[in-house]
């Protein structure tokens, strides 16, 4: 389970992130990568929605369900399978979002690592000396964690996609998938702060396991912002990493905990 208080704290950190970005004039680090993310994301949605419909028709024909539904001519059965089809499409969109999101996390790791470090430097009113080698280590850590989270999340999403074909239970799968997505995305955004404190990946995993609400809350606002076309798509990625950094900074995390 997770703490509702931690979820609310992570949500509130987005408001603080907006104030922080405005006060420190960080907009150029938000808008440019956000526009690139927005264009690629919109193109992907079009193709996934179109081909998910083709997949649903293929499965129904393979199982001869489509012919059975047409012969039955029952409006309630038609409505039931319409809802199942919609749930499957939503799961496919979330799966696409997962893969696209992690690809962007991998490509954008240098930017996210820099934004997280810059945020903490401003909050602590001190400069972190720039080190290219350390930045590359942070990027490598971010990529490894993204791949690890992608693997775990893919397994969960495949199970959820199978459950989506079960009437009634399938209606809940988009909500379950959303919470899984929120957790792993929030984890990725928070790990930049852990890496800066020289935590191992195992220590990060243990901490997030004990504070799931922080990760879910951060990921939840990110996903809600993604429901706002264009503006939300542009702002969401960088807002998420800054909000996560601010929230964890307030937790006064120790450097290099005992291994």
């Amino acid at each position: 389970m997770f703490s509702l208080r931690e979820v609310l704290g992570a949500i509130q950190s987005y408001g603080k992130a907006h104030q922080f970005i405005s006060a420190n004039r960080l907009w150029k680090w938000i808008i440019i990568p956000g526009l690139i993310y927005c264009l690629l994301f919109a193109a992907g949605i079009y193709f996934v929605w179109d081909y998910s419909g083709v997949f649903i028709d293929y499965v129904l024909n393979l199982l001869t369900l489509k012919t059975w539904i047409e012969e039955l001519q029952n409006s309630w059965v038609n409505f039931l399978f319409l809802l199942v089809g919609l749930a499957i499409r939503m799961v496919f969109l979330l799966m696409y979002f997962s893969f696209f999101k992690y690809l962007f996390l991998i490509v954008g790791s240098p930017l996210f690592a820099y934004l997280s470090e810059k945020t903490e430097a401003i909050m602590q009113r001190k400069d972190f000396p720039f080190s290219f080698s350390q930045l590359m280590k942070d990027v490598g850590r971010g990529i490894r964690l993204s791949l690890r989270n992608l693997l775990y999340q893919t397994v969960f999403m495949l199970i959820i996609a199978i459950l989506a074909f079960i009437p009634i239970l399938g209606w809940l799968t988009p909500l379950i998938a959303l919470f899984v997505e929120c957790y792993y995305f929030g984890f990725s955004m928070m790990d930049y702060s852990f890496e800066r404190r020289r935590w191992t990946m195992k220590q990060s995993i243990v901490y997030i396991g004990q504070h799931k609400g922080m990760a879910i809350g951060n990921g939840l606002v990110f996903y809600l912002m993604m429901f706002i076309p264009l503006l939300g798509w542009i702002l969401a990625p960088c807002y998420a990493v800054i909000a996560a950094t601010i929230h964890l900074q307030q937790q006064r995390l120790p450097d290099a905990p005992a291994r």
Side-chain angles (χ1 to χ4, degrees), residues 1-254:
M1 296 298 291
F2 55 86
S3 167
L4 181 58
R5 182 177 180 180
E6 289 182 346
V7 174
L8 293 176
I11 291 173
Q12 292 171 349
S13 67
Y14 273 81
K16 298 174 183 177
H18 177 73
Q19 295 174 352
F20 183 86
I21 292 168
S22 299
N24 294 282
R25 301 179 181 180
L26 298 178
W27 291 111
K28 65 180 179 180
W29 299 103
I30 310 298
I31 301 300
I32 295 176
L35 285 172
I36 297 173
Y37 181 91
C38 178
L39 292 173
L40 295 176
F41 180 70
I45 285 179
Y46 172 79
F47 286 106
V48 170
W49 186 263
D50 187 43
Y51 283 103
S52 63
V54 174
F55 173 79
I56 292 171
D57 286 339
Y58 172 76
V59 173
L60 290 177
N61 287 326
L62 184 65
L63 301 176
T64 67
L65 289 175
K66 193 169 185 179
T67 303
W68 176 73
I69 294 172
E70 292 174 351
E71 292 177 349
L72 192 61
Q73 294 184 344
N74 186 300
S75 59
W76 283 107
V77 173
N78 288 334
F79 179 69
L80 177 65
F81 276 91
L82 179 65
L83 290 179
V84 171
L86 180 60
I88 294 171
R89 281 193 164 192
M90 292 300 295
V91 169
F92 266 91
L93 279 177
L94 286 170
M95 290 179 69
Y96 153 72
F97 197 11
S98 297
F99 286 104
F100 176 81
K101 174 191 65 188
Y102 281 110
L103 175 62
F104 193 77
L105 281 175
I106 291 172
V107 174
S109 282
L111 171 66
F112 294 139
Y114 173 78
L115 271 178
S116 180
E117 182 176 298
K118 188 174 183 64
T119 299
E120 191 165 317
I122 293 173
M123 292 185 70
Q124 294 184 3
R125 297 182 180 179
K126 67 178 183 180
D127 291 328
F128 289 99
F130 177 77
S131 170
F132 182 77
S133 61
Q134 185 57 51
L135 178 63
M136 289 300 99
K137 289 180 182 178
D138 292 348
V139 170
R141 160 71 172 261
I143 292 174
R144 290 196 305 274
L145 184 73
S146 294
L147 292 175
R148 179 259 182 197
N149 286 349
L150 175 60
L151 176 62
Y152 277 80
Q153 187 171 318
T154 299
V155 173
F156 283 118
M157 295 299 283
L158 288 175
I159 295 173
I160 292 171
I162 295 172
L163 294 177
F165 284 95
I166 303 175
I168 301 179
L169 178 61
W171 302 346
L172 300 176
T173 54
L175 182 61
I176 298 172
L178 177 62
F179 276 100
V180 172
E181 285 275 342
C182 291
Y183 173 78
Y184 281 108
F185 181 81
F187 187 174
S188 297
M189 293 292 96
M190 295 167 69
D191 191 64
Y192 293 107
S193 294
F194 300 147
E195 165 61 16
R196 204 159 39 254
R197 288 166 172 77
R198 305 296 177 263
W199 287 23
T200 64
M201 284 183 59
K202 182 179 179 180
Q203 289 165 338
S204 298
I205 293 168
V206 170
Y207 183 87
I208 292 297
Q210 295 171 345
H211 302 278
K212 296 182 182 70
M214 292 184 185
I216 292 174
N218 181 273
L220 181 60
V221 179
F222 172 81
Y223 277 89
L224 290 176
M225 291 179 71
M226 294 304 296
F227 281 104
I228 306 174
L230 300 181
L231 181 62
W233 300 351
I234 292 171
L235 300 180
C238 294
Y239 265 60
V241 69
I242 293 176
T245 304
I246 291 174
H247 193 198
L248 287 174
Q249 177 67 19
Q250 295 172 337
Q251 308 306 311
R252 301 184 183 278
L253 300 178

